[in-house]
């Protein structure tokens, strides 16, 4: 049960669990929205708050969204890096690709670097798989067959 507790402690979006009005259980309905089972009260996690604000105020900056919603800028930046939000078209501020430094609207890497990153991950997995499948002694030199491996000192 401690594993579940550790997982719940990773809540970075402040998800509502208990209804502030009646104490009922808040049920996830999608897009950051939670509804109470008893009184039908609707509440939002951090993602829902920011998303609703950005939808109503296009072109808003991260600082403005943070001030209006009470969500930390670090959390909003995490949402951008997870591709849950995008930087608005025509904005003078963009995210930078972590591999090449190109300007991107969301995520961690640009589309060009994403292809090379995925290829690199596949190559690592392939090498690891080949190493696991090679077995014991398969990499030995065949020229040593039949020869003594150890010699006694006289």
């Amino acid at each position: 049960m401690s594993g579940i507790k550790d997982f719940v402690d990773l809540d970075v979006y402040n998800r509502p669990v208990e209804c502030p009005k009646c104490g009922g259980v808040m049920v996830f309905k999608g897009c950051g929205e939670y509804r109470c089972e008893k009184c039908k009260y609707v509440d939002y996690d951090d993602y829902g708050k920011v998303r609703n604000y950005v939808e109503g105020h296009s072109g808003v900056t991260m600082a403005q969204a943070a001030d209006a919603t009470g969500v930390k800028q670090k959390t909003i930046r995490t949402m951008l890096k997870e591709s849950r939000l995008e930087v608005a078209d025509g904005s003078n501020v963009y995210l930078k690709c972590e591999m090449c430094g190109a300007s991107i609207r969301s995520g961690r890497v640009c589309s060009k670097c994403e292809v090379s990153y995925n290829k690199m991950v596949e190559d690592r997995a392939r090498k690891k798989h080949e190493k696991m499948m090679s077995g014991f002694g398969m990499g030995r030199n065949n020229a040593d067959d039949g020869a003594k491996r150890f010699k006694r000192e006289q």
Side-chain angles (χ1 to χ4, degrees):
M1 213 43 143
S2 66
I4 293 174
K5 183 184 179 305
D6 295 340
F7 183 72
V8 172
D9 289 342
L10 295 175
D11 183 11
V12 293
Y13 294 125
N14 297 316
R15 294 173 177 93
V17 177
E18 188 176 299
C19 179
K21 294 200 175 214
C22 71
V25 176
M26 299 296 283
V27 179
F28 179 69
K29 294 296 179 182
C31 296
E33 181 180 317
Y34 293 78
R35 186 170 293 139
C36 178
E37 285 181 327
K38 290 182 184 177
C39 70
K40 306 300 181 205
Y41 174 76
V42 175
D43 199 4
Y44 296 93
D45 62 7
D46 287 349
Y47 170 70
K49 291 174 187 174
V50 173
R51 180 178 178 203
N52 289 338
Y53 185 76
V54 169
E55 283 179 353
H57 305 86
S58 61
V60 69
T61 65
M62 184 171 31
Q64 292 169 334
D67 289 341
T69 61
V71 177
K72 296 177 186 174
Q73 286 189 28
K74 182 178 180 180
T75 304
I76 296 173
R77 196 172 306 112
T78 301
M79 291 177 205
L80 286 165
K81 287 188 175 190
E82 289 176 348
S83 297
R84 297 183 81 173
L85 297 174
E86 281 187 354
V87 174
D89 276 333
S91 177
N92 57 357
V93 178
Y94 285 94
L95 298 173
K96 298 284 184 195
C97 172
E98 294 180 5
M99 292 180 77
C100 71
S103 296
I104 54 176
R105 293 180 51 199
S106 68
R108 300 176 67 98
V109 293
C110 66
S111 58
K112 293 176 187 173
C113 292
E114 186 174 15
V115 171
S116 63
Y117 174 77
N118 287 332
K119 184 170 176 21
M120 180 181 66
V121 170
E122 289 171 8
D123 289 343
R124 282 186 187 165
R126 204 170 276 113
K127 285 179 184 176
K128 183 178 177 182
H129 181 72
E130 288 171 3
K131 183 178 178 183
M132 300 273 297
M133 296 305 289
S134 66
F136 179 74
M138 296 295 285
R140 237 179 42 196
N141 217 356
N142 287 341
D144 293 337
D145 284 345
K148 290 183 179 180
R149 290 178 53 194
F150 302 103
K151 294 183 181 178
R152 291 187 187 173
E153 290 184 25
Q154 303 262 338

